[in-house]
Amino acid sequence: MKDCSQEVVYQIYPKSFQDTNGNGLGDLQGIIQHLDYLQKLGVTCIWLNPIYPSPQNDNGYDVADYVAINPDYGTMADFEQLVQEGAKRGISIMLDMVFNHTSTEHEWFKKALAGDPHYKNYYIWKKSKDGKLPTNWPSKFGGPCWQYVEQFDEYYLHLFDPTQADLDLSNPDVRDELVKILKFWIDKGVRGFRFDVINLIDKMSYEDAQGTEGKEFYTDGPKVGTYIHELYERALRECDPMTVGEMSATTIQKCAQYSNPKNEELTMCFNFHHLKVDYLNKEKWTLMPFDFQELKSLFNSWDVEMEKEGGWNALFWNCHDQPRSISRFGDPVNYPKESAKMLAAINFTRRGTPYIHYGEEIGMTNLNAHSIAEYRDVESLNAAKMLEEKGYSEQEILDILHAKSRDNGRIPMQWNNSQNGGFSTVEPWLESNDNLETVNVEACLEDPDSIFYYYQKLIQLKKENLALRYGTTIPELVDDASLYAYRRVLDANDCHNPNGKEEEILCIHNFYGKEANCDLDLTGYTRVLSNYEDFDANTKTLRPYESLILQKQN
């Protein structure tokens, strides 16, 4: 399967990147307009969130037609132009495949409701059980995960919104349809696929949860890998694209299985455990400082164990469903450059393929909203209502939304300091941030010390340095209260090492805005890259948010 050790993926939320037709929504021509910018940055692939026709009840993850373009974003001709223009610049296109469920507006579901048994069997239907719902599982968006349809006296399963009906992949006709969809986009030149919540596609049994949310009955089932391998064998093998699976509530062992090339399933996996280290009692809509020791432990275990078991990580701090990392783990007020560069260095020096979420490379922050009405995300608005019912004040609710809302990852791109940040000439679909006067692409490109140029250097380093691409991870300072450190060591006899000499990179990162003592001996190391101008190998102290990438001298 494809070696993705030199790939760098740039995620674009199409609605928020660039509006070219004055409707307040980003579009495909807007992406084409900025391909030279992305080429300058150095990325190799663009991942687009869903661009298909959709009622937008879940921002496009409720797909009504898998083989068409949402008119809000443009036309199929626009998409074909994007693929062609990207290829000229060495940038491939990755599409989001939502195969766990469809919109209830999809033709398949409409035919199912019309009584066509062929299409009704595309979905999961159950009778009530003793006058109750088929199971007591909650939906991931709140409420029960079963929707009653009177004409059938049955319920259909929706693990997410009621307008997102779960597909039954145990039906071979459904899998045939998914193969056709993949082949359609491959014929259009697509060379990457991101599979949404793909580890939920095997529903093992329909039993009531006992003190849980029922995830054990539909997560990481034994047929998940079988179904993914079938898609690879029937649709993907010939062009061998980059494939990444979004994994919900998963394990290292399962992700290693899915991404081990021997199994011919996926090239890499996303997991989200590290983005729950600031959940009080593991509840999202809460506030607490992030647990640094838990974060380090997760990184160390995933890096070490995934390598042992032949897996490959998709590395990321940010995405369309998460707050901005600089607001979450850094300090955008006092140390914006230092903390953003430190976080970036981690993403590019761990073992795996790094992903950049649009705007991350210029230090975009969480939305500085002044009222709940400024938020658009349905999950955030539902949470605000829930928190209000629990007695939280408006300010307390705003503080939580500021820290946790998915809208933080969907703010319009800040291109310059003009109105709406150069994103649109009209009011954007989501409020622009109030710091765009200083945090924008134009300002970054004019500043040689900007976050953008640090990303550029990290991307080049990741592509060229064999130890960072293939080296074993050896954790250091595992109990240190401020520093996260590890070595990347490429053995002299490793098949990827043409030099016949051991190569070692030492990475040390200070996660806090105060100096931290470092007990590692740095003599014998030279600086490869760091976020402060000077480096002293005899130092015993790292400055606030200081990040060192050092090479051992042979």
Side-chain angles (χ1 to χ4, degrees):
M1 295 185 75
K2 185 178 178 68
D3 180 348
C4 295
S5 64
Q6 285 185 296
E7 299 284 350
V8 178
V9 183
Y10 189 91
Q11 181 190 359
I12 291 177
Y13 195 67
K15 191 187 284 191
S16 297
F17 199 61
Q18 180 69 69
D19 172 20
T20 62
N21 61 6
N23 66 355
L25 302 173
D27 47 54
L28 294 175
Q29 283 296 328
I31 298 169
I32 294 168
Q33 181 177 309
H34 292 294
L35 284 173
D36 287 344
Y37 166 78
L38 297 176
Q39 183 183 27
K40 181 181 179 72
L41 182 59
V43 302
T44 64
C45 177
I46 296 170
W47 157 31
L48 300 177
N49 290 99
I51 54 174
Y52 320 109
S54 164
Q56 296 290 315
N57 291 319
D58 187 23
N59 279 283
Y61 285 89
D62 46 330
V63 179
D65 186 345
Y66 288 97
V67 291
I69 301 295
N70 186 331
D72 287 340
Y73 300 143
T75 65
M76 188 62 75
D78 292 330
F79 179 77
E80 291 167 351
Q81 183 186 358
L82 173 61
V83 172
Q84 292 163 5
E85 292 298 322
K88 291 177 185 177
R89 296 163 175 82
I91 300 173
S92 62
I93 302 300
M94 173 186 286
L95 289 185
D96 226 317
M97 293 289 119
V98 189
F99 286 170
N100 179 70
H101 46 262
T102 74
S103 167
T104 52
E105 294 298 309
H106 195 287
E107 179 186 18
W108 301 340
F109 195 79
K110 288 180 177 179
K111 288 181 176 179
L113 288 184
D116 186 327
H118 176 77
Y119 287 101
K120 187 167 182 282
N121 289 334
Y122 277 28
Y123 298 91
I124 297 169
W125 301 85
K126 298 291 177 185
K127 294 285 187 183
S128 64
K129 187 169 60 178
D130 301 324
K132 299 178 182 178
L133 294 172
T135 71
N136 63 353
W137 308 343
S139 156
K140 293 180 183 292
F141 286 171
C145 69
W146 296 97
Q147 185 73 19
Y148 183 65
V149 176
E150 186 175 5
Q151 69 202 71
F152 300 136
D153 190 27
E154 288 180 317
Y155 296 81
Y156 67 84
L157 178 68
H158 61 89
L159 291 179
F160 294 87
D161 190 78
T163 62
Q164 293 169 292
D166 277 46
L167 288 165
D168 184 0
L169 268 77
S170 70
N171 181 345
D173 292 336
V174 171
R175 303 199 300 277
D176 287 346
E177 297 278 13
L178 304 186
V179 168
K180 291 176 188 174
I181 292 165
L182 291 171
K183 286 183 174 180
F184 175 88
W185 291 112
I186 289 169
D187 288 344
K188 294 288 183 184
V190 173
R191 291 299 178 266
F193 295 99
R194 182 259 191 191
F195 294 101
D196 187 61
V197 293
I198 195 66
N199 64 327
L200 307 186
I201 59 175
D202 176 23
K203 279 68 173 179
M204 294 165 278
S205 62
Y206 298 91
E207 304 172 34
D208 278 345
Q210 304 297 325
T212 68
E213 295 181 346
K215 294 178 183 178
E216 64 272 26
F217 300 117
Y218 59 78
T219 304
D220 284 323
K223 294 179 183 176
V224 170
T226 304
Y227 294 153
I228 298 173
H229 175 72
E230 182 181 339
L231 295 178
Y232 177 79
E233 190 65 39
R234 297 178 60 194
L236 305 177
R237 177 185 290 280
E238 189 173 335
C239 72
D240 197 21
M242 178 161 47
T243 54
V244 56
E246 181 198 27
M247 301 297 164
S248 172
T250 191
T251 65
I252 294 174
Q253 290 71 29
K254 283 294 184 180
C255 283
Q257 172 204 315
Y258 301 140
S259 60
N260 188 321
K262 294 178 181 178
N263 298 328
E264 296 184 327
E265 295 171 13
L266 299 168
T267 50
M268 68 190 86
C269 293
F270 282 124
N271 84 84
F272 294 86
H273 297 286
H274 65 294
L275 297 178
K276 297 180 180 180
V277 297
D278 57 356
Y279 286 16
L280 183 63
N281 299 320
K282 297 307 172 189
E283 294 289 332
K284 176 175 179 176
W285 302 105
T286 57
L287 292 175
M288 66 168 272
F290 69 91
D291 186 329
F292 177 55
Q293 292 300 331
E294 183 184 9
L295 181 68
K296 276 205 304 187
S297 176
L298 286 165
F299 280 166
N300 288 335
S301 58
W302 276 84
D303 289 353
V304 171
E305 295 303 318
M306 282 286 276
E307 181 187 0
K308 281 183 182 177
E309 300 191 31
W312 194 255
N313 283 314
L315 306 172
F316 71 108
W317 286 113
N318 303 278
C319 74
H320 60 289
D321 283 336
Q322 296 292 332
R324 295 280 175 173
S325 59
I326 188 173
S327 297
R328 192 174 195 175
F329 299 106
D331 184 345
V333 176
N334 300 300
Y335 297 99
K337 287 184 179 179
E338 294 86 351
S339 60
K341 292 176 182 181
M342 181 274 292
L343 293 168
I346 291 170
N347 211 38
F348 280 85
T349 55
R350 291 177 58 214
R351 184 178 179 276
T353 297
Y355 285 65
I356 303 168
H357 188 47
Y358 78 96
E360 177 185 332
E361 77 282 5
I362 62 169
M364 280 177 60
T365 65
N366 283 354
L367 179 65
N368 294 319
H370 302 291
S371 72
I372 295 171
E374 291 179 40
Y375 288 93
R376 295 289 177 268
D377 173 38
V378 62
E379 183 194 39
S380 300
L381 297 175
N382 288 342
K385 192 179 299 182
M386 173 198 73
L387 293 169
E388 184 180 13
E389 290 170 355
K390 288 183 176 181
Y392 285 71
S393 70
E394 181 173 356
Q395 188 57 53
E396 287 172 327
I397 295 170
L398 267 176
D399 290 343
I400 293 173
L401 292 179
H402 177 263
K404 299 292 177 66
S405 173
R406 299 194 301 183
D407 278 342
N408 291 313
R410 303 171 183 185
I411 301 167
M413 183 66 168
Q414 296 166 200
W415 294 105
N416 53 48
N417 63 3
S418 66
Q419 187 176 14
N420 303 321
F423 165 73
S424 178
T425 56
V426 301
E427 183 179 351
W429 74 276
L430 178 64
E431 192 84 16
S432 295
N433 222 344
D434 61 9
N435 60 7
L436 56 79
E437 191 167 316
T438 54
V439 180
N440 62 72
V441 169
E442 194 173 273
C444 272
L445 294 180
E446 291 174 356
D447 175 10
D449 187 46
S450 70
I451 298 166
F452 175 92
Y453 289 116
Y454 203 75
Y455 268 81
Q456 195 181 58
K457 292 172 184 176
L458 284 166
I459 290 170
Q460 196 61 33
L461 181 63
K462 184 71 170 185
K463 291 177 181 179
E464 295 176 352
N465 191 285
L466 292 173
L468 291 179
R469 286 171 58 192
Y470 300 112
T472 293
T473 300
I474 303 172
E476 299 283 356
L477 304 176
V478 293
D479 296 321
D480 192 279
S482 301
L483 301 180
Y484 169 45
Y486 46 92
R487 301 176 195 271
R488 299 294 311 281
V489 179
L490 187 65
D491 188 81
N493 299 316
D494 190 288
C495 64
H496 299 106
N497 191 344
N499 304 319
K501 295 180 181 179
E502 181 179 276
E503 301 285 340
E504 180 186 314
I505 296 288
L506 173 61
C507 305
I508 315 170
H509 314 284
N510 182 2
F511 256 81
Y512 293 95
K514 60 183 186 296
E515 290 189 347
N517 293 328
C518 178
D519 294 332
L520 294 174
D521 181 5
L522 305 185
T523 57
Y525 289 86
T526 57
R527 179 174 65 166
V528 177
L529 193 60
S530 65
N531 59 352
Y532 281 80
E533 289 184 4
D534 58 319
F535 165 66
D536 179 2
N538 295 308
T539 188
K540 293 295 180 183
T541 305
L542 263 68
R543 289 161 286 194
Y545 294 104
E546 185 166 11
S547 171
L548 298 173
I549 304 173
L550 310 174
Q551 183 150 18
K552 189 174 184 179
Q553 297 172 324
N554 288 321

